[in-house]
Amino acid sequence: MSDPGSDFSAWIGRQDSTDDDLGLAAALAAAATLGDGSERFTGGSALPPLWHWFYFLPRVPQAGLGVDGHPQRGGFMPPIPFPRRMFAGARLRFHSPLLLGQPARRVTTIRDVRLKSGRTGSLAFVLLHHGYHQGDRLCIDEEQDIVYREPGPALPAPTVVDWPPLPAAACARIVTPDPRLLFRFSALTFNAHRIHYDRPYAIGEEGYPGLVVHGPLTAVLLLELLRRQVTRPVQEYSFRGLAPLFDLAPFRLVCTPEDGGYALAAQGPDGTLAMSARAVLAELAG
Ligand SMILES: C/C(=C\C(=O)SCCNC(=O)CCNC(=O)[C@H](O)C(C)(C)COP(=O)(O)OP(=O)(O)OC[C@H]1O[C@@H](n2cnc3c(N)ncnc32)[C@H](O)[C@@H]1OP(=O)(O)O)C(=O)O
C-alpha cells in the first residue's frame, strides 16, 4: 500500500456544527430536480428522507477551496494526500422527520480515519457521523464513508449491454444522467467537486471517462423510487457505492421487496452493480 505519510489520529473526534432554518426554496428545487416538481411543501412539512442533504451546506469561502473543488484538506478534514475523493457509502437511521421552516442543527464528528488496500489501489477512508437535531429531538443519525484514492490508471468508458430481466415484484426506473441533472444536484448540495461538472478535469486529472454521477444523487434517486410506492416512513437506509457511474449512458434503478425491507440497486450501463442499498420502513403505531 502507498504510505500517505502521516498520522491522522489527531483528526479523530473533531467536531463541527452547522445551523440551518430549513427554508422552502431548497425543497422546491429538489422536487423539480428529482421528480416532476408537483410535490407541495409548506412551513411545517416533513422533509422527505435524505433531503436533508440539500441543507446544512458548506460555507467555505471561495479562497478555501482546494484544486478538486472541495474545501482544502487539513482544516476540518484530515490532510490526506491521495488526490481522488469519492463518496463511498452511508448508513442512516431516521428517528423523526425534520420539519421545514424550523431551525435545525447538524453536528458532525470525525469517527475514524483508516487506510486500506483495495483492488483499485490504496484507499484512505474517513468515517463521518452527522447528528441532525431540531429543538430537543435527534431526528437523523448518519454515518458517511468518504474515501480518498491514490492516482491510478484511466478508467475506460463502459460498454453498454442489455440489463437482465427484472425480478418478480421489482420496480425500476431508468435515469439518463446528463450534465444538466448533475449540475442541478451539485447546485442543490453546493458541492463544487469538479468531477461532476468539469469534463477536462474529470478525465485529465482524475482519470474518469466522463462526468461522475454523485453517489448521493444515485442514493436519493433509489430512495425516491421506493418512497413513491409506500406510505410508511423510511426508518433505516444504507448504501455502498461499488463502481462509479458516468454521464455517458443511462443507468437503471431497481427496487425489490425482501424480508423485512427493500433491496435497492443501481445497475450501470455495462451491467455492473454500481450501488447496493437497503431500506427498512417504520411500523405504523396502533
Ligand atoms: C459527492 C462526492 C463524491 C462522489 O459522489 S464520487 C461518486 C460516487 N462514488 C462512487 O462512485 C464510488 C464507487 N466505488 C468505487 O469506485 C470502489 O468501490 C472504491 C470505493 C474505489 C473501492 O474499490 P476497491 O475495489 O479498491 O475496494 P475493495 O472492494 O477491494 O475494498 C477494499 C476495502 O475497502 C472497503 N470498501 C470498499 N468499498 C467501500 C465502500 N463503498 N464503503 C466503505 N468501505 C468500502 C472494503 O470493505 C475493503 O475493506 P476491508 O476492511 O475488507 O479490507 C463527494 O466527494 O462529496
Side-chain angles (χ1 to χ4, degrees):
M1 180 193 306
S2 301
D3 178 7
S6 223
D7 171 11
F8 304 112
S9 54
W11 266 261
I12 298 173
R14 285 201 177 185
Q15 275 203 339
D16 193 18
S17 72
T18 309
D19 292 325
D20 200 300
D21 57 10
L22 301 191
L24 287 185
L28 296 172
T33 306
L34 302 172
D36 63 7
S38 62
E39 201 162 4
R40 293 283 158 252
F41 297 99
T42 57
S45 297
L47 197 60
L50 294 185
W51 289 33
H52 60 277
W53 286 341
F54 312 132
Y55 294 90
F56 312 100
L57 304 180
R59 291 165 194 157
V60 175
Q62 198 64 17
L65 295 182
V67 68
D68 65 355
H70 274 295
Q72 280 162 14
R73 300 176 208 159
F76 180 68
M77 291 295 265
I80 293 167
F82 295 160
R84 299 185 294 171
R85 171 181 156 138
M86 294 185 110
F87 194 115
R91 296 156 294 283
L92 298 103
R93 193 167 176 90
F94 300 95
H95 303 287
S96 118
L98 285 165
L99 303 179
L100 281 172
Q102 299 179 15
R105 171 166 292 184
R106 180 185 69 188
V107 180
T108 301
T109 310
I110 297 181
R111 285 209 166 152
D112 198 14
V113 183
R114 195 159 293 239
L115 302 178
K116 292 192 176 188
S117 189
R119 282 165 296 188
T120 61
S122 294
L123 307 167
F125 284 93
V126 178
L127 173 62
L128 297 176
H129 176 265
H130 300 292
Y132 298 86
H133 306 259
Q134 205 162 39
D136 56 6
R137 286 178 300 124
L138 170 63
C139 297
I140 305 168
D141 259 316
E142 173 175 6
E143 278 189 345
Q144 288 182 355
D145 304 313
I146 303 296
V147 66
Y148 296 91
R149 304 168 58 215
E150 65 179 343
L155 279 181
T159 306
V160 178
V161 300
D162 288 336
W163 287 303
L166 289 176
C171 65
R173 174 180 173 190
I174 291 174
V175 177
T176 300
D178 65 31
R180 298 168 304 172
L181 175 64
L182 301 191
F183 172 82
R184 279 182 138 189
F185 197 80
S186 291
L188 276 172
T189 52
F190 203 44
N191 178 346
H193 198 177
R194 292 167 69 186
I195 61 172
H196 304 301
Y197 60 86
D198 181 340
R199 197 176 303 274
Y201 174 86
I203 296 174
E205 299 299 323
E206 299 214 13
Y208 298 116
L211 297 179
V212 180
V213 177
H214 316 68
L217 172 57
T218 309
V220 79
L221 287 171
L222 280 171
L223 200 56
E224 288 294 290
L225 181 64
L226 171 61
R227 184 171 74 88
R228 286 164 200 285
Q229 300 179 64
V230 295
T231 48
R232 282 153 59 198
V234 176
Q235 186 173 63
E236 289 173 29
Y237 187 56
S238 57
F239 64 90
R240 185 179 269 217
L242 301 167
L245 293 164
F246 306 104
D247 72 326
L248 304 173
F251 58 89
R252 183 168 80 166
L253 307 176
V254 182
C255 173
T256 315
E258 62 172 22
D259 257 5
Y262 292 82
L264 298 120
Q267 298 167 334
D270 55 357
T272 50
L273 180 59
M275 182 171 285
S276 167
R278 181 175 155 78
V280 176
L281 303 182
E283 296 300 333
L284 284 182

